[in-house]
Amino acid sequence: MTTNVLVVEDEMEIANLIEVYLTNEGLNVHRYSNGKEALKSIQTTAFDLALLDIMLPEIDGFTLCQRIRENYHYPVIMLTAKIEDIDKITGLTLGADDYMTKPFNPLELTARVKAQLRRYKRYNHTEENENIESTNPEFYDFAGLYINKDNHKCFLYGKELSLTPLEFSILWYLCENKGKVVSSEELFEAVWGEKYLDNNNTVMAHIGRLREKMNEKARNPKFIKTVWGVGYTIE
């Protein structure tokens, strides 16, 4: 089955490099150099992952990420030439799953793409089999929150939450450790499967977006609570 990857990058040298490495992995790369053309493709092509540069002609990468998240759950990796954390946090808050700062090692980029695709395909495989009755269902149901690992469904007060695979994994891991404080390092390594690095804002940004989808008050959340200097917990 063909794996379609959207690459939106206006620097030809970088776009060429990305296409060569991803094509060598057997991925079908769809390249665009401006956001307007990419948006048309998003609406007509079934993608499995998107690589979006932030600074693009006509429509920027942040806007593309927002438009993708309106209808799709496939992974989004942001590419940025800036080193400011605000760009990374903004992208993650809008629903991106990962980011890479230019210049980057193409082997590392390829590894991250493959890791995101593996996670996404596991998620899709679960959804395809959601109607098969499970003999050992795995779910948590408390205080109005219901989350089921078998069918990757999550409901809050009876309303289904539209969660990306990463957001679901974060919430599931916290529920698995209900009553315990989970550090950002532990949460990152458990969900992303990579070594946690200092000053990594990825977890914080995803927690923020998860709270937003759950209509949680930042200062006094009911479900995902911050234990300052330690990590996060669901009580």
Side-chain angles (χ1 to χ4, degrees), residues 9-135:
E9 170 59 65
D10 62 340
E11 295 184 48
M12 186 175 296
E13 186 177 342
I14 295 177
N16 287 340
L17 186 67
I18 293 173
E19 182 173 20
V20 168
Y21 274 82
L22 296 188
T23 301
N24 285 342
E25 293 295 329
L27 305 178
N28 188 27
V29 176
H30 298 249
R31 273 179 55 181
Y32 296 92
S33 59
N34 71 73
K36 190 174 182 179
E37 291 181 357
L39 183 57
K40 292 180 182 178
S41 184
I42 287 167
Q43 296 166 344
T44 58
T45 305
F47 288 112
D48 299 282
L49 182 141
L51 279 167
L52 309 177
D53 187 22
I54 292 177
M55 304 299 292
L56 293 167
E58 300 190 68
I59 299 176
D60 64 33
F62 290 143
T63 303
L64 285 177
C65 183
Q66 281 184 301
R67 297 297 294 272
I68 288 172
R69 283 293 170 255
E70 288 174 2
N71 298 295
Y72 308 105
H73 288 155
Y74 55 77
V76 174
I77 300 176
M78 306 297 295
L79 304 176
T80 174
K82 298 182 179 180
I83 60 173
E84 288 85 354
D85 283 342
I86 188 64
D87 273 342
K88 301 170 185 177
I89 294 172
T90 299
L92 294 170
T93 302
L94 292 174
D97 298 278
D98 201 356
Y99 61 84
M100 291 202 71
T101 304
K102 302 174 187 176
F104 52 78
N105 184 326
L107 290 174
E108 181 183 356
L109 176 65
T110 303
R112 292 197 186 192
V113 166
K114 291 169 68 177
Q116 292 289 349
L117 285 171
R118 283 196 300 270
R119 186 179 295 116
Y120 177 61
K121 288 179 178 179
R122 284 201 302 268
Y123 175 79
N124 271 356
H125 179 73
T126 303
E127 281 200 326
E128 289 168 1
N129 292 282
E130 64 181 353
N131 294 322
I132 301 176
E133 184 177 357
S134 172
T135 58

Side-chain angles (χ1 to χ4, degrees), residues 175-226:
C175 288
E176 272 189 319
N177 292 275
K178 186 173 179 289
K180 300 177 183 178
V181 179
V182 179
S183 68
S184 295
E185 178 179 358
E186 178 184 346
L187 190 55
F188 182 86
E189 293 184 356
V191 173
W192 277 262
E194 300 175 9
K195 185 67 178 176
Y196 181 86
L197 302 176
D198 290 338
N199 301 317
N200 189 327
N201 294 304
T202 304
V203 172
M204 181 181 67
H206 278 83
I207 290 289
R209 181 160 178 82
L210 195 49
R211 283 173 172 162
E212 182 182 332
K213 289 187 175 182
M214 297 173 73
N215 292 316
E216 290 258 63
K217 295 180 180 179
R219 293 188 177 182
N220 187 30
K222 179 179 179 180
F223 291 98
I224 305 175
K225 300 181 183 295
T226 300

